[in-house]
Amino acid sequence: MSELKRLRRQKDEFFAHDSHSPLSAEQKRTFPGLRYFPENSQLRFQDEVKRSTAEQVVHMQTNTGELREYHKYGTFGFLVNGDSAELCVYTSGDRGFFVPFADATSGQETYGAGRYVEVHSLGGERFEVDFNQAYNPWCAYSPNFSCPISPAENRLTIPIRAGEQSFGA
């Protein structure tokens, strides 16, 4: 079993059985597992993040209307089926590096407000990005959660067909 399949199976187990799952008791009873795009090795890569030249504080709106403060760390560029794209990386406290994004699949094949992907520092300004691990925010499963909505600068017109798909569709 690939590492990605193992991680996906663990997430399904967590969602179905853990008391910290975002699913309600009713949802857990009928939970068939999450739906994912097939693994795409071209959407797993290492890249250098171009650091922001000055401290940039960004206030992201959540699905419940709150504003949350993040710091824009920088941007990275990549190709998807020959189309170039660029996304911003954010940080917040000790949370690590966070990329909220929406793409051409949002609202159709994936959650409408966008998905998230964690990026991991490899040292210096090099990062590992794996869109196969893109996931829905917990507000995609329950209205009891408040989640940042992907900012305008991270809304792509191209599809990222990797990671988690819409829940319950």
Side-chain angles (χ1 to χ4, degrees):
M1 173 184 309
S2 75
E3 177 68 8
L4 183 63
K5 285 182 182 177
R6 186 185 66 72
L7 291 171
R8 288 175 173 182
R9 183 171 286 160
Q10 282 180 333
K11 186 169 185 176
D12 282 349
E13 286 295 313
F14 172 83
F15 270 52
H17 303 293
D18 197 281
S19 62
H20 295 99
S21 167
L23 301 181
S24 68
E26 177 60 33
Q27 287 173 309
K28 286 180 183 181
R29 278 193 287 281
T30 60
F31 180 62
L34 296 172
R35 296 179 324 112
Y36 297 94
F37 289 102
E39 187 169 358
N40 183 339
S41 62
Q42 292 186 16
L43 291 172
R44 181 185 325 109
F45 52 88
Q46 295 177 4
D47 198 8
E48 189 166 313
V49 171
K50 295 173 205 90
R51 288 289 303 264
S52 297
T53 55
E55 174 82 12
Q56 292 183 23
V57 174
V58 176
H59 292 92
M60 287 187 208
Q61 186 168 341
T62 69
N63 61 303
T64 59
E66 298 171 59
L67 290 178
R68 292 207 188 140
E69 186 174 290
Y70 290 86
H71 299 271
K72 184 176 175 181
Y73 183 82
T75 60
F76 67 94
F78 58 101
L79 291 174
V80 179
N81 297 325
D83 293 318
S84 59
E86 185 174 89
L87 288 171
C88 296
V89 178
Y90 302 92
T91 62
S92 177
D94 62 354
R95 178 156 191 223
F97 298 101
F98 166 67
V99 180
F101 71 97
D103 64 289
T105 69
S106 298
Q108 298 168 47
E109 298 168 89
T110 62
Y111 182 57
R115 295 176 288 160
Y116 304 158
V117 67
E118 309 292 328
V119 296
H120 305 282
S121 175
L122 299 171
E125 301 306 325
R126 289 203 57 76
F127 283 76
E128 181 175 69
V129 180
D130 187 354
F131 284 104
N132 293 291
Q133 293 187 28
Y135 60 94
N136 293 325
W138 282 20
C139 54
Y141 310 106
S142 169
N144 298 328
F145 295 95
S146 180
C147 307
I149 295 171
S150 301
E153 62 191 356
N154 274 15
R155 295 185 186 148
L156 303 174
T157 58
I158 59 174
I160 304 289
R161 288 194 172 87
E164 211 170 296
Q165 294 181 312
S166 295
F167 177 65

